[in-house]
């Protein structure tokens, strides 16, 4: 479904193209030399990033900024929300006021977006949902989503635990409560290993909060022997807590995480993690292609799923060193 803004721009593009053909026929040209929109201007993109809470987010931001560049035809306005929804909503409203060509954002939690998404829809600016998901009543609130399937990630982790430690006594470190990854990873891991979960607590996807949550868990559940962490950073915090308690991470207490950032894979090589499911943050190149296709009025896929792999302790130091992030 094309929103009014795209139809307006498509009409402009058609008119520009017609103008160029007629000018060329007369031996002239309008000199359109940009890369991106048909009229040669840079495509103005407003991007609301949720924060810088983890190694994953840092790698994702680097990928977005490396791809949405002027040389790629993009004028990027990038705003970091420090993991606060109110900051994202303000940024989104600013993008509407600035009449961006495209808005992209990675919502910190799934709910609370209806009002601002309706405002964006009324403005006709197309929205790309990046990485995370939203739960909204606004019809056609966004044009397309790009990111990993968080349920598949939870399933991959659950299947590995079922296969290798079917009798594990599990503590679950949850990501930011109400976020898409926390909801879907928990649901789909729990579908397989839910009966083995002794307790859960959120570490908000950060190393420090993961350590704090793990310290409490070790007190409450002294016989826990496996941690399922929704991301590497909280898993690394858990390592610190486990070692401080005089136990050996990866042996006394197994650790299964998601993301596969370099620090997480290093913990795997070092024997402190046991299994890591990838959640690939490097999709800036696919994002810029989506932006250009939207502005060009091309057919847009509703979903671009970023493919994830997984790693166990067979990984080598050379493989870790060769990783992009
Ligand atoms: C997943 C992403 C999650 C990562 C965390 O796509 O949204 O947020 O798993 C990050 O590391 O904080």
């Amino acid at each position: 479904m094309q929103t009014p803004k795209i139809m307006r721009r498509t009409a402009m593009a058609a008119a520009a193209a017609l103008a160029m053909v007629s000018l060329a026929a007369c031996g002239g040209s309008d000199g359109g030399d940009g890369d991106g929109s048909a009229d040669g201007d840079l495509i103005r993109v407003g991007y609301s990033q949720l924060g810088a809470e983890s190694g994953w987010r840092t790698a994702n931001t680097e990928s977005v900024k490396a791809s949405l560049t002027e040389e790629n035809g993009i004028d990027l306005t990038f705003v970091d929300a420090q993991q606060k929804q109110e900051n994202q909503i303000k940024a989104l409203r600013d993008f509407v006021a600035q009449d961006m060509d495209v808005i992209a954002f990675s919502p910190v939690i799934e709910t609370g977006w209806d009002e601002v998404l309706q405002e964006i829809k009324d403005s006709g600016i197309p929205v790309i949902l990046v990485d995370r998901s939203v739960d909204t009543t606004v019809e056609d609130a966004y044009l397309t989503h790009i990111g990993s399937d968080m349920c598949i990630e939870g399933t991959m982790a659950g299947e590995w635990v079922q296969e290798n430690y079917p009798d594990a006594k599990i503590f679950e470190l949850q990501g930011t409560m109400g976020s898409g990854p926390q909801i879907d990873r928990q649901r789909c891991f729990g579908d397989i290993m839910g009966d083995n979960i002794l307790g859960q607590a959120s570490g908000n996807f950060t190393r420090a909060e993961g350590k704090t949550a793990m310290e409490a868990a070790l007190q409450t559940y002294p016989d826990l022997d496996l941690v399922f962490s929704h991301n590497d950073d909280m898993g690394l915090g858990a390592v610190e807590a486990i070692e401080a308690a005089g136990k050996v991470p990866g042996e006394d207490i197994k650790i299964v995480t998601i993301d596969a950032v370099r620090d997480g894979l290093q913990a795997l090589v070092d024997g402190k993690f046991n299994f890591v499911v990838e959640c690939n943050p490097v999709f800036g190149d696919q994002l810029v292609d989506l932006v250009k296709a939207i502005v060009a009025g091309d057919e847009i896929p509703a979903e671009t799923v970023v493919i994830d792999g997984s790693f166990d302790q067979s990984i080598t130091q050379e493989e870790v060193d060769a990783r992009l992030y």
Side-chain angles (χ1 to χ4, degrees), residues 237-291:
V239 164
E240 292 175 34
I242 291 165
E243 288 175 333
K247 296 190 175 185
V248 181
E251 292 180 25
D252 300 331
I253 296 180
K254 311 296 188 225
I255 301 179
V256 175
T257 75
I258 297 175
D259 273 353
V261 295
R262 183 173 287 112
D263 288 351
L265 295 179
Q266 190 60 51
L268 200 55
V269 166
D270 297 343
K272 297 182 178 181
F273 282 2
N274 298 84
F275 186 66
V276 179
V277 175
E278 184 182 38
C279 179
N280 189 336
V282 180
F283 49 74
D285 51 350
Q286 291 169 280
L287 181 60
V288 71
D289 289 346
L290 275 175
V291 167

Side-chain angles (χ1 to χ4, degrees), residues 50 52-58 60 83 106-108 130-133 147-150 153 175-176 179-182 185 204-206 230-234 258-261 279-281 283 308:
L50 67 89
E53 73 285 357
S54 64
W56 189 97
R57 189 67 50 196
T58 302
N60 179 244
Q83 281 194 289
S106 184
V108 60
V130 181
D131 168 36
R132 300 233 176 134
S133 44
S148 295
D149 183 321
M150 315 291 177
E153 295 166 346
T176 304
S179 66
Q182 177 267 317
R185 288 169 182 171
N204 203 25
F205 284 130
T206 71
H230 291 185
N231 82 332
D232 290 345
D233 292 68
M234 295 188 296
I258 297 175
D259 273 353
V261 295
C279 179
N280 189 336
F283 49 74
D308 297 323

